[in-house]
Amino acid sequence: MATEDGPARDPEPWQDRTDVYDFLDRIRRLPGRWLPGGSLRHLELLLTGYSAALGVHGVEEDFAFRPEGDFSRWLREWRGADSSRGWVADIERDTPESSTPVEEFFRLLDAYRGELAEDPARVSPSNRFPGIEYMGNTFVTLFRRRQLLTDAELRLQERGFRVVRLAAAEWTRERDMHRAFAAALRFPDYYGHNLDALNDCLGDVACYGPYDDSPEGTGLVLSVTDYDRFTAACPEAAQTVLDIVAGQARRAAVLRRRFFCLAHSDDPGIRFEPVGAMPVLWNRDEWADAKRR
């Protein structure tokens, strides 16, 4: 007779799974089958694989268990403590002696889902703090598919952001980039058309600029298409521009203003050095290499 820890076939057909919470409920019922040794780290790996599968197969589903996802942010608020170690480390650290990390995770999961059912906007930081998904780990987010970029622009505009669009395919020289920035952001006539001047004037716009009358919680977004072409033409300038954007975005955040950049690239393998002491990352729908091919 099969036991919980045995290799018996799962009596519930896998195709009947509806979402990640159904997946977690299945693990809760058969922890010995899914989590050898009762390891919360093993559960994290399973959820990482689940997230990757969503991306590979193009499945649209809210997924709260990424390192800086809604569950992690909720957990920090729930416990009243800030931490950058992730939800697994936080749960392992604070598990009482009478429980296990896996049991504690499911207890917290029930609390999270309970609050989510009562008030989704209160639990989800992406609802309470518009644009936070593009500011948590980086101020420059990459996009491969144009439609994903367009969808992001529309969502941000619906929340009151001012989206400034720039076409980097037209920048064959550095001065082309300066002209585009100056025109789109209405830099003053004395703008020097060099990187130092870009840093100064972009800082004025990001930190004190012409979107003061926007509703609270919104801000300014730069959306740049074909940035890979400018990178190929002027690699050093392209890296520096992103560094300037990220640095001024950090300054703006200190002043409680929101400013960040969405950059499109036709090159799925493009890489940049960290900017503003933060990495340049792919958006969550295309973070897996296979999803951009």
Side-chain angles (χ1 to χ4, degrees):
M1 183 174 182
T3 67
E4 180 183 275
D5 296 323
R9 181 175 61 85
D10 193 329
E12 301 177 46
W14 179 250
Q15 58 267 32
D16 291 345
R17 180 204 60 80
T18 58
D19 59 17
V20 68
Y21 299 111
D22 186 20
F23 177 55
L24 287 169
D25 285 342
R26 184 166 300 186
I27 294 173
R28 188 203 301 248
R29 290 194 294 272
L30 298 170
R33 176 189 178 92
W34 291 94
L35 306 175
S39 169
L40 190 59
R41 295 286 174 180
H42 200 121
L43 177 59
E44 181 185 34
L45 289 174
L46 290 174
L47 288 171
T48 299
Y50 184 100
S51 176
L54 292 178
V56 168
H57 296 288
V59 177
E60 296 292 334
E61 179 182 321
D62 289 335
F63 186 82
F65 303 98
R66 294 182 176 89
E68 282 298 319
D70 285 350
F71 181 72
S72 289
R73 290 188 283 263
W74 171 85
L75 183 60
R76 290 198 293 266
E77 292 185 7
W78 173 272
R79 293 189 160 165
D82 196 11
S83 171
S84 60
R85 300 181 306 170
W87 58 267
V88 174
D90 288 340
I91 291 175
E92 288 179 335
R93 179 193 63 185
D94 296 329
T95 296
E97 293 183 1
S98 59
S99 184
T100 68
V102 171
E103 291 173 348
E104 186 70 0
F105 167 79
F106 283 113
R107 184 185 71 81
L108 291 165
L109 177 66
D110 290 340
Y112 171 77
R113 294 183 69 181
E115 289 196 20
L116 187 64
E118 292 178 5
D119 187 355
R122 182 165 67 90
V123 173
S124 173
S126 60
N127 289 328
R128 290 180 289 126
F129 305 113
I132 195 68
E133 64 270 33
Y134 301 114
M135 299 175 65
N137 294 312
T138 179
F139 291 110
V140 180
T141 302
L142 296 173
F143 288 79
R144 170 68 176 81
R145 286 180 284 167
R146 294 283 189 116
Q147 188 57 53
L148 285 177
L149 177 63
T150 299
D151 292 345
E153 292 173 348
L154 292 175
R155 285 196 305 271
L156 291 165
Q157 285 180 314
E158 289 173 355
R159 302 304 298 271
F161 280 84
R162 174 190 172 203
V163 177
V164 174
R165 296 174 177 83
L166 297 164
E170 302 171 3
W171 305 347
T172 59
R173 297 165 295 181
E174 184 181 325
R175 64 184 177 183
D176 297 328
M177 176 273 297
H178 287 294
R179 288 173 180 166
F181 267 84
L185 296 173
R186 300 181 181 180
F187 286 169
D189 292 339
Y190 58 78
Y191 175 60
H193 290 78
N194 58 63
L195 293 171
D196 287 337
L198 176 65
N199 187 44
D200 291 341
C201 290
L202 188 60
D204 289 340
V205 172
C207 298
Y208 313 104
Y211 57 95
D212 290 347
D213 56 349
S214 295
E216 183 180 357
T218 58
L220 174 67
V221 181
L222 297 182
S223 179
V224 189
T225 55
D226 296 303
Y227 201 73
D228 54 310
R229 298 195 191 181
F230 179 55
T231 301
C234 305
E236 292 185 9
Q239 175 70 41
T240 302
V241 168
L242 297 186
D243 195 46
I244 288 171
V245 168
Q248 295 301 341
R250 184 184 294 276
R251 282 188 60 210
V254 171
L255 297 172
R256 304 186 72 177
R257 299 175 67 86
R258 293 194 169 98
F259 171 58
F260 49 88
C261 178
L262 312 179
H264 161 262
S265 168
D266 272 328
D267 177 4
I270 197 168
R271 295 288 187 272
F272 294 96
E273 295 297 317
V275 293
M278 302 180 77
V280 176
L281 300 175
W282 287 97
N283 70 90
R284 65 183 183 182
D285 292 308
E286 295 181 313
W287 70 270
D289 289 345
K291 190 57 182 174
R292 304 194 299 273
R293 303 295 178 180

